[in-house]
Amino acid sequence: MSEDSLEESRAETEPTLSDGLDRVVEKERRDFLVGVSAVAAGTLAMLAPIGAAVVSLLDPLRREKLSSEMVLVARTSAIPEDGSPRKFTVTADRTDAWAAYDDSPVGAVYLRRSGDEVRALNVVCPHAGCFVGVAKDNSRFSCPCHLSSFDLDGAVDDPTSPSPRDMDTLDVEVRNGDEVWVRFQNFLPGRAEKTPV
Amino acid sequence: MRGMLDWLDNRTGYRALLQGVLYERIPGGARWRYIWGSTLVFAMVVQLITGVVLWSAYSANAQGAWESVWFIQNQMTGGWLLRGIHHYMAQVTIVLLVLHLMQVLIDGAYRAPREVNFWFGLILLQLVLGLSLTGYLLPWDQKGYWATKVATSIASMTPVVGPGLQQLLVGGSEYGHLTLTRFFVLHAGILPAAVALLIVGHIYLFRRHGVTTPKSAREKPDGYFWPEQVLKDGVASLIVMATVLGLVLWSGGAHLGAPADPAEPYAAARPEWYFLFLFQWLKYFPAGWEVIGAQVIPGLVLALVAAMPIIGGWKYGHRFNVGVATALLAGIVMLTWQARVQDSADPEFVAAQAEAEVLAERSSELAAALSGIPVEGGLAMLRADPLTQGPRIFEANCSQCHRFEGHDGLGGQPADPPSASDLAGFGTRAWLAGLLDPERVATDEYFGGTEHVNGRMSRFVQRGVARFSPEVRSDLAKVIMAVSAEGSLPAQVEQDAVQQTEIEEGRALISGEEINCTRCHTFRDQTEGDVGPVLTGWGSRDWMLGMLHDPTEERFYGEDNDRMPSFGAEKILTEDEMGLVVDWLRGDWVRQDSQGH
């Protein structure tokens, strides 16, 4: 190849300034598109596992709640006649995740009787969820955790009581003369209104 | 050898890495005050090792958690030590974390450029607290169950998302299998992974910035991490481990309460000691202020601590930080102390704690005596135990009139005096001998408070028995043996078998001329007038169940029944409950030395 032709070809390939700019822009655009594609591909690949994970983790939100059907708790004869409260275990058929239980303990209630009328209070403290106890002299309820205090009707009886509401009353029906049926429910603690869990 | 290591270094570059790790330059040389971070890494490694091995025997479900922890604690070789180390190291870790944090604050080691590392440390502190909180529930005993209920209740108070958050944590609306699987994945999966990542980041940043040297170190020659500082760190770790082992041995290992029971109160519910200040704190917030006390204020305090690196750059900022941190620590100590003082001054709490301890021991004893926990689980096992349930049923249903060794079954004293017999030892020879004692029959122990105090039995004892000659008295002793033998009490069967001759004689004497029980009672096929309760099978399980079922039956008191309710006929008690109280009164329960009944 002659000197001239070499010069010529060099001139042909020598990039001009605008050529260079074009290339830089072109490369940037290319890199941007490749980057976007890489992120998109990666995200798409992760979508299914993350989606499945999130949906599964959120499953408890759409689970059916403990049935709030009436359950037989006691006979009226087992409740003291003098109006003092007595604790009864509430048993019910329930399904806990994969396991079905017959007649297993789900909670407890205090039952009180005045004449034929029976009243039921959930033992769980509306403050923070502890198990409310009965004072030794049967005069009131008091929570062993943060010292919430209630009268025998379950009403807050102390202005400094940390409980935001009275103890949770439950629906009671006396069936067939002496069967005490209770609609057993738990309620969200720490709020003034009674919201079923 | 040399060649192989060279090859490995060529392929991995491990020497440079090792060089970097070991020969970190320490301005002013190794010091004892730099040990805290290393002891924390050591603690985490201990938790990882013990935790993974605990995991190898732990079962995260509501019918396996307590059961498997019981197994680890009582059956697995070395299990109590393993669990003890894990339990106490968790507590020591909290102490070390607080010391580390206070040192960083006091030394001003949070200032630029170390802000991010300070925040890493704060997150680590919260992750470790999260590990403690989740770990507390895993044994699924009463203590963990009720304490964690408070924690998830507090989560549910969060505005707007609270109820959903609680459901996600608990795995549903109620505590159950999924609560454990979820707490376990947090405790053994997510939180440890996050801790590991952050520790790597924490150490990386620490290496990047170097130690914060005290003024006194500046004149001293520099040193290296290896071996001077490693020796100090090693000795410190050894002291930490010795402390933990000391705690394990002193306490006899980590505690395991009775199995969690949603229907049984746990009045001794308290969080682990390092959360006690929060527990106490909540007592001071009246109705409607729970969220402020449980979430807003702790959140603000945490935000303030997080802002300390920034505040530290201001004039007097460092003094402010140290002041705030000291005040916070003092407040925490004070609240913890108050919680302790209030609890120990509360007789009901002290009693509840003692009762919880009895239940814990009984649960463990039952599991051992049955040579394993029945497949229904620890809670069902405890609920079927007469020794545990009998006194409760007695207290609730019998103690208005009866007593047991002078108390209500649970050790309490009802308001009204007894108006029926003391049933402790009912069916034994001693109990019968007391009934037939002219001095005792009309006391509170027997018929004192009943209509029977002036009845025929009472008159027979006070007038007839009182005048018995010594010979008739020795006959009466045999009659007592014979009648008592009807009950086949577990504590007496062996003695009865040995004294079969006397018992045979006694049976003949029951309808003898002098003693003549069958004038009023039926014994086997002998009777003249069926007035008092039947003596055939007296004190046996069937006899007592029958009496509880309906004392007005002809074979018991009939029309002469004095106030005793028909617990079975009126369905006051279930068959199971009557069985439990009868078995308890008869002393018929599973014992450690026997296998079953």
Side-chain angles (χ1 to χ4, degrees):
Chain A
M1 203 181 277
S2 73
E3 287 268 307
D4 283 355
S5 62
L6 201 71
E7 285 276 306
E8 221 166 273
S9 72
R10 197 176 286 160
E12 269 170 27
T13 53
E14 189 88 8
T16 62
L17 188 61
S18 76
D19 271 358
L21 272 177
D22 278 353
R23 260 183 228 168
V24 169
V25 169
E26 169 65 27
K27 183 169 165 36
E28 264 184 9
R29 193 172 58 199
R30 223 180 95 82
D31 281 358
F32 175 74
L33 283 175
V34 171
V36 166
S37 309
V39 170
T43 308
L44 272 175
M46 292 301 286
L47 211 55
I50 288 182
V54 168
V55 168
S56 302
L57 275 175
L58 295 184
D59 170 79
L61 292 179
R62 44 172 297 279
R63 281 265 137 215
E64 269 181 45
K65 294 169 181 182
L66 192 75
S67 77
S68 54
E69 279 168 28
M70 288 265 179
V71 286
L72 175 61
V73 172
R75 306 281 168 156
T76 46
S77 50
I79 312 169
E81 283 169 21
D82 61 3
S84 56
R86 177 160 302 166
K87 177 178 76 80
F88 291 90
T89 298
V90 178
T91 58
D93 298 342
R94 68 190 172 98
T95 305
D96 176 8
W98 53 84
Y101 293 93
D102 294 338
D103 214 24
S104 82
V106 292
V109 291
Y110 285 115
L111 296 183
R112 282 184 70 215
R113 181 150 76 129
S114 49
D116 286 339
E117 197 201 357
V118 177
R119 279 188 284 184
L121 295 169
N122 194 325
V123 297
V124 173
C125 185
H127 175 234
C130 293
F131 198 117
V132 176
V134 183
K136 274 267 177 256
D137 59 357
N138 269 347
S139 64
R140 49 187 264 279
F141 293 107
S142 86
C143 182
C145 287
H146 306 99
L147 314 177
S148 292
S149 166
F150 311 90
D151 66 20
L152 286 183
D153 292 322
V156 173
D157 70 348
D158 174 3
T160 63
S161 174
S163 179
R165 61 170 191 267
D166 299 340
M167 285 174 76
D168 296 316
T169 52
L170 300 168
D171 293 346
V172 182
E173 262 178 39
V174 178
R175 295 182 189 167
N176 306 325
D178 69 341
E179 297 174 2
V180 181
W181 291 70
V182 174
R183 189 183 309 286
F184 184 74
Q185 278 180 298
N186 285 314
F187 301 89
L188 284 175
R191 47 190 70 213
E193 70 281 9
K194 209 173 131 188
T195 319
V197 169
Chain B
M1 190 64 200
R2 177 96 204 151
M4 270 174 71
L5 288 179
D6 285 344
W7 178 87
L8 192 67
D9 187 45
N10 177 274
R11 299 300 192 272
T12 62
Y14 82 92
R15 277 187 190 131
L17 185 74
L18 213 58
Q19 183 83 9
V21 168
L22 292 177
Y23 295 98
E24 178 210 11
R25 214 169 57 83
I26 304 174
R31 282 173 172 261
W32 283 108
R33 61 186 301 151
Y34 303 151
I35 58 169
W36 299 109
S38 298
T39 57
L40 277 163
V41 172
F42 169 73
M44 295 299 168
V45 171
V46 170
Q47 293 306 75
L48 183 73
I49 294 169
T50 50
V52 166
V53 180
L54 281 170
W55 186 352
S56 75
Y58 175 74
S59 175
N61 74 82
Q63 261 174 303
W66 185 87
E67 292 75 0
S68 59
V69 174
W70 174 81
F71 177 80
I72 291 169
Q73 187 71 24
N74 296 290
Q75 308 276 299
M76 209 165 103
T77 313
W80 68 276
L81 182 63
L82 183 76
R83 184 166 169 255
I85 293 174
H86 196 73
H87 179 80
Y88 285 104
M89 188 58 92
Q91 314 204 357
V92 167
T93 303
I94 305 280
V95 176
L96 290 173
L97 267 171
V98 170
L99 288 173
H100 186 52
L101 178 67
M102 285 309 283
Q103 192 192 24
V104 165
L105 282 171
I106 291 168
D107 287 353
Y110 53 69
R111 276 186 288 220
R114 299 186 174 86
E115 301 96 324
V116 175
N117 215 16
F118 181 76
W119 293 330
F120 274 20
L122 269 192
I123 300 172
L124 274 166
L125 172 70
Q126 291 172 70
L127 289 174
V128 168
L129 289 176
L131 279 164
S132 303
L133 195 80
T134 48
Y136 204 48
L137 178 72
L138 297 182
W140 204 246
D141 58 359
Q142 280 284 73
K143 182 176 63 170
Y145 180 90
W146 287 101
T148 310
K149 278 225 146 178
V150 176
T152 53
S153 290
I154 288 168
S156 83
M157 293 176 199
T158 315
V160 190
V161 296
L165 186 68
Q166 186 198 24
Q167 272 195 318
L168 287 179
L169 264 175
V170 169
S173 54
E174 301 300 328
Y175 270 42
H177 294 306
L178 294 175
T179 316
L180 278 167
T181 54
R182 283 177 172 245
F183 270 65
F184 190 50
V185 82
L186 281 171
H187 185 78
I190 295 168
L191 292 174
V195 165
L197 270 176
L198 273 157
I199 287 182
V200 169
H202 201 64
I203 294 175
Y204 163 75
L205 285 179
F206 164 72
R207 284 293 175 98
R208 188 182 158 91
H209 303 133
V211 290
T212 307
T213 47
K215 282 197 187 94
S216 61
R218 287 179 197 152
E219 304 93 58
K220 301 244 171 78
D222 292 356
Y224 288 97
F225 182 60
W226 175 264
E228 286 92 353
Q229 188 62 46
V230 173
L231 175 65
K232 289 190 163 61
D233 290 350
V235 170
S237 299
L238 200 61
I239 294 171
V240 168
M241 197 61 239
T243 310
V244 168
L245 281 177
L247 284 168
V248 176
L249 294 174
W250 166 73
S251 65
H255 189 261
L256 177 64
D261 188 341
E264 270 309 313
Y266 187 71
R270 291 294 181 266
E272 200 60 289
W273 61 266
Y274 39 81
F275 286 122
L276 264 184
F277 74 97
L278 277 175
F279 158 84
Q280 181 70 13
W281 174 248
L282 271 191
K283 287 186 191 168
Y284 300 121
F285 287 84
W289 292 79
E290 299 83 17
V291 186
I292 309 287
Q295 293 188 351
V296 176
I297 295 181
L300 288 175
V301 166
L302 215 56
L304 178 67
V305 175
M308 281 184 175
I310 315 280
I311 299 170
W314 303 345
K315 203 180 178 190
Y316 305 121
H318 181 61
R319 285 186 200 173
F320 171 81
N321 286 342
V322 173
V324 167
T326 312
L328 279 176
L329 195 63
I332 287 172
V333 170
M334 203 180 76
L335 283 167
T336 310
W337 178 75
Q338 270 183 324
R340 279 283 158 105
V341 167
Q342 284 183 11
D343 278 347
S344 55
D346 177 1
E348 287 188 26
F349 177 81
V350 174
Q353 241 183 351
E355 193 196 328
E357 194 46 47
V358 169
L359 278 181
E361 277 173 24
R362 179 62 183 159
S363 311
S364 190
E365 182 189 51
L366 266 177
L370 295 168
S371 50
I373 299 156
V375 71
E376 295 79 17
L379 178 58
M381 173 185 78
L382 193 62
R383 285 187 157 267
D385 175 37
L387 180 60
T388 310
Q389 307 303 326
R392 292 180 179 170
I393 299 167
F394 185 89
E395 189 271 333
N397 298 280
C398 316
S399 71
Q400 287 87 339
C401 305
H402 291 283
R403 291 292 182 277
F404 184 90
E405 281 175 349
H407 58 75
D408 65 4
L410 293 173
Q413 212 39 260
D416 299 324
S419 61
S421 54
D422 192 309
L423 293 177
F426 181 81
T428 59
R429 295 174 185 181
W431 195 93
L432 257 184
L435 178 72
L436 290 164
D437 183 338
E439 302 287 319
R440 291 170 70 190
V441 65
T443 63
D444 276 352
E445 278 182 276
Y446 293 98
F447 289 164
T450 71
E451 278 179 9
H452 308 299
V453 71
N454 297 314
R456 293 169 69 175
M457 182 72 190
S458 197
R459 282 206 304 273
F460 162 73
V461 174
Q462 286 176 309
R463 294 176 196 170
V465 178
R467 289 195 206 113
F468 280 172
S469 65
E471 294 83 57
V472 183
R473 272 180 197 283
S474 76
D475 284 350
L476 184 66
K478 289 174 186 164
V479 167
I480 288 173
M481 283 186 200
V483 175
S484 178
E486 290 292 297
S488 312
L489 295 177
Q492 229 172 251
V493 274
E494 274 179 41
Q495 201 184 2
D496 288 348
V498 173
Q499 295 177 310
Q500 203 52 45
T501 333
E502 286 93 329
I503 289 170
E504 286 299 341
E505 286 174 42
R507 280 185 190 137
L509 290 161
I510 285 178
S511 45
E513 209 163 297
E514 295 279 355
I515 298 169
N516 202 4
C517 305
T518 51
R519 197 165 62 183
C520 299
H521 297 278
T522 302
F523 182 70
R524 311 247 159 137
D525 50 358
Q526 302 158 21
T527 188
E528 289 170 38
D530 189 15
V531 183
V534 60
L535 295 184
T536 318
W538 182 84
S540 65
R541 191 172 198 271
D542 283 347
W543 189 97
M544 287 176 75
L545 279 176
M547 178 67 116
L548 268 181
H549 182 81
D550 186 1
T552 67
E553 271 180 35
E554 217 34 62
R555 63 186 171 125
F556 298 112
Y557 283 115
E559 288 173 0
D560 292 340
N561 181 42
D562 173 23
R563 294 165 298 146
M564 167 98 169
S566 301
F567 285 100
E570 289 177 26
K571 293 185 172 154
I572 300 170
L573 292 177
T574 63
E575 292 297 322
D576 285 348
E577 287 170 323
M578 288 193 291
L580 286 166
V581 80
V582 164
D583 288 341
W584 170 61
L585 287 171
R586 287 170 39 79
D588 191 3
W589 58 75
V590 178
R591 286 172 170 80
Q592 187 112 58
D593 50 350
S594 69
Q595 305 254 319
H597 292 268

